[in-house]
Each structure stands twice: as C-alpha cells, then as structure tokens.
Amino acid sequence: MGTSRNLERRTILKAAGASAAVLGLATTTGCGGESGSGDGTVTIRYSWWGAEERAERINRTIALFEKKYPKIKVKTDFQTYASFWEKFQTQAAGGNPPDVFQNAVTFLRKYDKRGILLDLNSQEKAGNLSLDHFRDGVTKVGQVDGKQLGIPVGSNTMALVVDEKVFRKAGVEPHAGWTWDDYFKALKTIHDRTRIPGDTGYFTIMYLYDLYLRQNGKAFYTEDGLGFDQADLTEWWTDGYNRVKAGIVTDPKIVQQDNPKSSLSAGHGASEFTWDNFTVRYSAEGDSTYGLAPIPTTDGRQTGQYLASLMLSASSHTSHPKEAAQFIDFMAHDPEVGRIMGYDRGILASAEQYDAYRPTDAVDKEIAQYEVDTAKAGVLGTITPHPSGADTIEASFLRIGGDLGQGKTKVSDAVKQFFTESEAAFQA
C-alpha cells in the first residue's frame, strides 16, 4: 500500500536494470501478453515496485510457479515506487501495460476509469483463481463498483512507531485508548525532557489525516471527491505548523535532509505514523529499539483504522487472461510463496499463506501481534474509497504540508492550493 511515510518511496535503489541483471531477472518493454511459442508455452510480464530484497524473494516464487506451470514463463521488471508508476503510466497510455502488476487502492479507480484493469470476477467464475480464504474480508480493498480489480497479497494498517528508549527516558507510556490530547502532551514531555521532537511530521500524512477524519464522522474521500472542507484542513495544518514552531514536531527541513532515511531512525524524532509492516525499516536504519503503539483517538476508542492491502492486478489488454489469473492465484494462495515472502508486503492476506508462515524474529512477531490486537479491539472499519486522482492528491498533501512546515507558505494559502490541485486531479 502507499503512504506518505512509505518505506519504498524513500529507499534509493541502484538502477533497476542493473539490479535486475544482478538478480537474474529478465526485463522487457514488449506489448502486454507476448506471443505463445510453437510448443504451447506462453510468456506473461509481471512488474512491481520495491527494494532488491523483495525482488530476490519474488524471483524465488516465480521459479516455483514455472515449475508448477511449465507452459507459462514469466518476464519480470521492478522499480522504485515513483519510477514504477512513471513507467506504468507510459505503458498504460501506449496500450502495453504488463500482464500482471503490483497495485494499491490509490490507483484502482484511476486505471479502471482508463480501461486498463481486468475484472478478475470473470477469471474466478472460470476457475482460474479463488476469492475464498482471505483474512478479514480484505478482498474488498480490491473491489470497485462490483468489479474485482485486485487480489490482495498482504494487508496492513496504520500504526504509531516509537523509539522505545526515548519514550522510556521521558517517562512516557503509550496506551490503548489514549486521546490526541494525551499524545500531544506526550510529545511536549518528550521534547522537554530529551530535547528530541516527539513526532516526525504527522500533519503531512494523508492516511493519518483520513483516520482522524473518520474518528470525527468524516473521511478523506468520498467516492468522487474530498470528504472534508477547507475549515477542517485549516485546523489540522494550523495545529501541525504550530507544533513544528514549538519544536515538538521535527522541522520538515531536517526530514528532507534525512531522506531517504527516516528522521525517527536518524534520531531526529521520537515517533512516526506509518503502516505497521514498515516497522522493520527502523531496526535496519537506526541504533535504538522501536515498537508499535496504538493510534490516538478522539473518543478513547475509535481509531478510524482499516486494513489496506498491496494487491496484484491484471491488464485488460493481456492476451493471456487465464495464465495471468493462474499466476495471481498462485502468488496469493500458495503456502510456500507465503513462507518465502513473509511480511515483506504486509501480513499475508490469504489464510493458506498466513497459516504457513510463522515469524521468528521479534519485529515480525510484533507486527503480527499488533494486527491481531487491533482486530480484537473491534475498531477496524471499511477502507475509505479512493477516487481517480488519489495518487496525485496524496503527493500534493505531502508536498504542500512540507512547504507549510518550512514556512514557505501560509496555512490559508496552503489550504487553497491543496483544494485547487485536488480539483484538477479529479478532473484529469
């Protein structure tokens, strides 16, 4: 799934072509659905975004798939997040998107509107893939207007990652049901006692603002527009700007300087809102210990959380819809694939893979337990719809919020700019 604190967006990779060569991954720029060979073998193209570790894991799963389906060959291509979507947009405009590709809810309506996505309900009816045995009804994330446009391979939810050493030093203890007032008091206490900002920039994260709005009976999106007004955003961004000036939220200039490393793992903030499965990045980048804490609430209970998902979609242009569907089904349900992928793309979405993988390291165990505890708390709702243009709007929210925090623009001007850019994105 996509997020303003997305690990994949902030990871600098080697050139994708070189990385693919090192990993033995073939790339192609041919049209979707390559011609079959004389012996009945067909080739499909599969593209995704992510880091090299993900590519290595996926390469292993493809070898398993080709062993089970010797008449289907898979050509692969992977990029960083931004590069992936830049390339995909070009491919889609040219009518040659990959047969199968990694996808997220932000892009479903956009590319459905352009006729790029295959409705996989037809392939489910044909027996080429299964929509059964998924956790927590997460298949709904891939549905738009009755069409199944994506099949989930991993699920996650928003969480608060904290530097446990800093929190202990400040004498602050996160707890379920704490309110936003509690959280902001904690940030001030942390700053007063450690001189470290308590948060790295909550007010620029679109998905967190969505949770806050949901706690208050609204949402970031409706099916065809924004679910809040300028007064709502003015209040949110004024609050964030004032906390930056007070020193309890990290200066966006420092966040920018730390990039691609997180300011949390760089020691320039004590907490950061992100997707729960991204917790592993902080242990890899930082020198402290990091843990997951509950989302602050408005009423002491409702967090506004939902399960999001990375998913696999197929192109409506593919010449091999059956083979594409069989590949997606294998990648979503095969137990050995689940053991190989682990929580790289989130908590495994299908029951077969979830049951097959048993995390052994402390971080993965904590991620799994966080999702179990969140589900048991009964706070998970249905994901907010993302209309066409949501990807552009998310980028605008992050950029304009960052400019605001740096003092490059006033709150009133930032709000007007965001609504203007959002309207243009919806009409594109």
Side-chain angles (χ1 to χ4, degrees), residues 259-275:
N259 188 41
K261 195 173 185 178
S262 162
S263 288
L264 173 59
S265 46
H268 296 147
S271 66
E272 184 165 290
F273 291 95
T274 187
W275 299 102

Side-chain angles (χ1 to χ4, degrees), residues 9-202:
R9 300 181 196 199
R10 301 175 65 179
T11 301
I12 295 179
L13 303 179
K14 300 175 183 177
S19 300
V22 170
L23 296 167
L25 301 175
T27 61
T28 179
T29 57
C31 293
E34 300 210 348
S35 301
S37 65
D39 65 356
T41 299
V42 302
T43 300
I44 61 174
R45 293 161 52 211
Y46 174 38
S47 300
W48 71 92
W49 68 83
E52 292 182 1
E53 182 180 0
R54 177 175 294 175
E56 291 170 353
R57 291 173 187 256
I58 288 177
N59 203 32
R60 291 166 59 192
T61 67
I62 289 172
L64 290 178
F65 174 78
E66 291 182 337
K67 183 176 181 180
K68 181 175 180 180
Y69 294 93
K71 294 294 186 179
I72 307 176
K73 301 303 178 185
V74 182
K75 285 191 175 182
T76 63
D77 184 21
F78 84 98
Q79 312 280 336
T80 61
Y81 181 90
S83 296
F84 172 90
W85 286 111
E86 181 179 354
K87 183 175 183 178
F88 184 86
Q89 181 156 319
T90 299
Q91 292 172 324
N96 67 333
D99 299 274
V100 178
F101 50 94
Q102 191 169 281
N103 206 350
V105 66
T106 309
F107 301 89
L108 289 181
R109 288 185 181 273
K110 175 177 181 175
Y111 286 107
D112 178 49
K113 180 180 178 181
R114 299 181 184 183
I116 302 300
L117 304 181
L118 179 67
D119 182 1
L120 294 166
N121 282 321
S122 61
Q123 294 302 314
E124 191 269 340
K125 292 176 182 176
N128 297 324
L129 62 78
S130 173
L131 297 177
D132 296 328
H133 309 299
F134 283 95
R135 299 175 50 242
D136 303 309
V138 75
T139 52
K140 293 181 180 179
V141 179
Q143 295 173 2
V144 171
D145 300 332
K147 293 174 285 189
Q148 190 73 47
L149 302 179
I151 304 298
V153 290
S155 66
N156 54 11
T157 191
M158 285 292 290
L160 175 65
V161 183
V162 302
D163 184 322
E164 294 178 329
K165 292 182 179 178
V166 174
F167 267 64
R168 280 197 299 269
K169 183 177 180 181
V172 173
E173 182 68 33
H175 58 276
W178 65 342
T179 66
W180 287 101
D181 285 343
D182 295 332
Y183 179 64
F184 291 133
K185 288 178 182 177
L187 301 190
K188 186 176 188 308
T189 298
I190 289 168
H191 178 256
D192 290 347
R193 295 180 180 177
T194 69
R195 310 315 300 171
I196 296 174
D199 179 274
T200 63
Y202 69 92

